[in-house]
Amino acid sequence: MASLRHRVRTIALQILFELDATDHSPDQVVARRLEEERLPPEGERFLRRLVFGAWEHASYLDRIIEEAAPNWPVSQMPGVDKAILRIALFEVLIDEEEKTPLKAIINEAVELAKQYGSDNSSRFVNGVLGTVVSRYRERRKG
């Protein structure tokens, strides 16, 4: 059985995909998904942090994605890849609360890309995350 964090990231991916493709309210989508997916309190907190954090910082995260993959504009990127990258980059660059190990974040993102993306998604996600980590992670430590 998948870990709670993997399950939460999967739900976050689905929510962010929906938010990006529609004009639905983040609060309503999260509330609906939490009715469908019973999560323990720590899972619900993690889901809310990922979804609202990635959504709130989407324009910043998208700029970082475009810097790391200049030949692939975010507006033309598959929604699944975009949502996965937003979640992972939120965790790597912004989320100070969780302190999830970098390797775990990248592994989870690559696994989500393999499971839900296209044939090339996992390589693309891994490449973007590797580029971003090498460029931005050092700034965060400074």
Side-chain angles (χ1 to χ4, degrees):
M1 180 169 167
S3 74
L4 175 61
R5 289 183 163 261
H6 181 76
R7 188 169 151 221
V8 167
R9 286 185 181 98
T10 299
I11 298 166
L13 159 62
Q14 294 164 346
I15 291 171
L16 289 171
F17 182 89
E18 178 178 342
L19 293 176
D20 203 44
T22 67
D23 62 352
H24 297 166
S25 153
D27 290 319
Q28 291 175 335
V29 176
V30 169
R32 185 183 76 240
R33 287 309 309 266
L34 286 171
E35 285 178 18
E36 297 168 359
E37 297 275 348
R38 295 289 176 199
L39 294 171
E42 67 271 15
E44 185 174 327
R45 278 192 300 276
F46 186 47
L47 178 68
R48 289 180 185 281
R49 188 165 42 263
L50 289 180
V51 169
F52 290 111
W55 190 245
E56 177 183 324
H57 295 94
S59 60
Y60 167 70
L61 297 171
D62 290 354
R63 283 194 307 275
I64 290 172
I65 294 166
E66 287 190 337
E67 286 175 15
N71 296 330
W72 199 259
V74 171
S75 62
Q76 296 175 12
M77 193 174 291
V80 169
D81 295 358
K82 191 183 333 180
I84 292 168
L85 287 168
R86 285 175 176 167
I87 292 166
L89 291 174
F90 170 75
E91 287 191 85
V92 169
L93 300 173
I94 298 169
D95 186 16
E96 294 286 341
E97 192 170 326
E98 284 298 315
K99 305 206 183 325
T100 304
L102 182 59
K103 187 173 182 170
I105 295 169
I106 293 171
N107 286 344
E108 280 284 315
V110 170
E111 284 305 309
L112 288 172
K114 285 178 182 174
Q115 191 171 3
Y116 296 100
S118 68
D119 290 343
N120 296 320
S121 291
S122 61
R123 284 191 302 275
F124 177 70
V125 165
N126 193 45
V128 170
L129 292 177
T131 299
V132 170
V133 166
S134 66
R135 288 183 188 171
Y136 292 90
R137 187 72 174 195
E138 291 306 312
R139 291 186 200 171
R140 188 174 178 209
K141 290 178 184 173

